[in-house]
Amino acid sequence: MAAIGGDVSEITYNHPTIGSGTWYPKSAEDFTIDPGGIRGADDENNVDGGGNNIKILNRKRWFAEGPISWDANVANELEQAERLAADPVDADWTVTLINGTVWGGKGSIVGDVQGGTNAATMSIKIAGGGKLSKIVG
């Protein structure tokens, strides 16, 4: 079977005090997903004098990053993202791909929260501890 790429269909969040919502990523745009977990350091000098590998393992947070639509009139995703970024409590997130795969994790908005008025889009980065896990797919 061929690998199936394509759009992220929707992103949902559920926060204990802010509430829940659904965001819609822009069609035909790339979304980057990193499930997080343990990674080995990539350093060509990670060997000792005997030529043995020095393996350095570090934890990395998960993230999902890309452009979503921004309805400044009604839905106001920009305001929602700002509130989620400023709150100290993480939300539960799901990221649904067009191929039916669903990823889930606990995290928050990180980085800049900026909307583009002409394109009616905004770039978001959601990140969290632990791992972003496949729920379906």
Side-chain angles (χ1 to χ4, degrees):
M1 181 172 171
I4 299 173
D7 293 338
V8 172
S9 302
E10 69 177 27
I11 297 169
T12 65
Y13 64 87
N14 187 11
H15 189 276
T17 57
I18 295 173
S20 60
T22 302
W23 293 341
Y24 298 101
K26 187 172 185 298
S27 177
E29 296 283 334
D30 205 23
F31 226 85
T32 302
I33 295 176
D34 184 330
I38 298 173
R39 302 288 191 274
D42 184 14
D43 183 345
E44 292 180 16
N45 296 316
N46 278 354
V47 293
D48 64 19
N52 300 301
N53 189 35
I54 298 172
K55 192 168 187 177
I56 300 171
L57 300 175
N58 299 107
R59 292 191 184 280
K60 184 176 179 185
R61 69 183 183 185
W62 67 264
F63 74 86
E65 179 177 26
I68 64 170
S69 64
W70 171 35
D71 173 10
N73 290 324
V74 180
N76 204 355
E77 294 86 353
L78 186 67
E79 181 182 348
Q80 296 165 11
E82 189 280 326
R83 289 181 63 209
L84 289 161
D87 199 288
V89 178
D90 286 342
D92 291 312
W93 294 88
T94 62
V95 179
T96 303
L97 282 58
I98 201 166
N99 67 7
T101 302
V102 181
W103 295 81
K106 187 174 275 302
S108 64
I109 299 293
V110 297
D112 290 333
V113 178
Q114 301 171 338
T117 60
N118 191 54
T121 62
M122 56 184 279
S123 291
I124 59 159
K125 184 172 185 179
I126 307 158
K131 289 189 57 119
L132 187 65
S133 301
K134 280 175 102 175
I135 300 170
V136 177

